[in-house]
Amino acid sequence: MTKRTTAKYKIDRRMGENIWGRPKSPVNRREYGPGQHGQRRKQKMSDFGLQLRAKQKLKGYYGDLTEKQFRRIYAEAERLKGDTGENLIGLLERRLDAVVYRAKFVPTVFAARQFVNHGHVLVNGKRVNIPSYRVQEGDVIEVREKSKQMAALLEATQLPERDVPDYIEADHSKMTATFVRTPQLGDVPYAVVMEPNLVIEFYAQN
């Protein structure tokens, strides 16, 4: 678990954006940055600043992964054939906690990590409690029978603020989801603009 689990809105404030599109985000009320000087922070960012911000935003979106975890995923994306930025998004979306979140079994990506950690999720009938587990195309993710009536779970499936993307087929009556295909950047329903190209530039230069 990362220390951001209980303070996820700090990431929104730091970025100045409601990166998950949550209705309770403080950025909906205050568009300026945190701290006593937040309202004055309007100066133009350097290229390095823009790249760093893009990396922090993408890293924060997936539960504020550690730098070591995120760099490892970037290195793997770089080794794969094709566009590194698209590969990076595909690898992030194949994380089990990301799939659980996308399927609307939980309200937040932080809750998804905890949900998987506590053993509530099955992949192809076997219990998996590792949030970073890499889902394959065609895998069936299911909420464990004993956990299907959890109030938080039932509430999450009714959230109107986001829909299940088309690369996941979810059946909320059975609490199952099938990972149909690895998405590209344009398929992922981010609430804000993500710029994996800037993330790639950041790591290429640092």
Side-chain angles (χ1 to χ4, degrees):
M1 303 290 281
T2 68
K3 62 185 176 184
R4 290 292 176 200
T5 306
T6 56
K8 53 186 175 290
Y9 293 132
K10 282 186 179 180
I11 302 172
D12 277 1
R13 289 293 310 282
R14 190 172 67 207
M15 297 298 152
E17 295 181 83
N18 182 359
I19 66 174
W20 295 284
R22 299 281 288 160
K24 292 182 180 179
S25 173
V27 179
N28 295 342
R29 299 186 297 275
R30 294 176 290 194
E31 295 183 354
Y32 51 86
Q36 61 178 330
H37 304 299
Q39 296 182 62
R40 296 194 307 212
R41 292 180 188 170
K42 290 293 182 183
Q43 67 265 36
K44 187 178 178 182
M45 274 193 180
S46 64
D47 287 347
F48 173 80
L50 291 171
Q51 293 163 2
L52 177 62
R53 183 186 179 89
K55 183 197 66 133
Q56 298 291 69
K57 186 162 61 171
L58 190 61
K59 185 161 73 79
Y61 183 90
Y62 288 93
D64 212 15
L65 305 175
T66 66
E67 180 60 28
K68 186 176 180 180
Q69 286 175 312
F70 198 69
R71 186 177 278 275
R72 192 185 303 132
I73 296 169
Y74 160 75
E76 187 173 350
E78 195 177 31
R79 288 193 299 270
L80 294 172
K81 290 182 180 179
D83 182 87
T84 304
E86 293 285 1
N87 291 341
L88 177 62
I89 296 299
L91 290 173
L92 288 167
E93 283 294 306
R94 283 172 56 196
R95 286 175 57 95
L96 180 56
D97 54 0
V99 176
V100 167
Y101 172 64
R102 293 284 180 227
K104 287 182 69 175
F105 292 155
V106 291
T108 70
V109 73
F110 296 91
R113 182 180 297 177
Q114 189 175 47
F115 196 68
V116 175
N117 262 331
H118 289 181
H120 297 299
V121 177
L122 307 177
V123 179
N124 299 327
K126 295 182 179 179
R127 190 161 72 164
V128 178
N129 60 1
I130 303 167
S132 61
Y133 176 87
R134 188 74 50 74
V135 173
Q136 304 295 324
E137 294 181 0
D139 279 358
V140 176
I141 293 85
E142 181 181 4
V143 176
R144 195 177 60 157
E145 193 63 40
K146 289 181 180 179
S147 310
K148 287 183 178 179
Q149 296 305 313
M150 291 174 64
L153 186 74
L154 299 172
E155 188 179 316
T157 60
Q158 302 301 317
L159 285 174
E161 64 204 50
R162 59 191 175 91
D163 297 317
V164 178
D166 63 5
Y167 51 90
I168 292 173
E169 290 179 355
D171 184 341
H172 290 147
S173 64
K174 296 179 181 177
M175 291 297 178
T176 63
T178 302
F179 189 73
V180 179
R181 60 182 173 83
T182 301
Q184 294 188 309
L185 175 61
D187 301 322
V188 183
Y190 292 119
V192 297
V193 176
M194 292 295 182
E195 300 165 297
N197 58 310
L198 294 181
V199 180
I200 305 308
E201 289 176 16
F202 176 86
Y203 282 122
Q205 296 172 20
N206 296 282

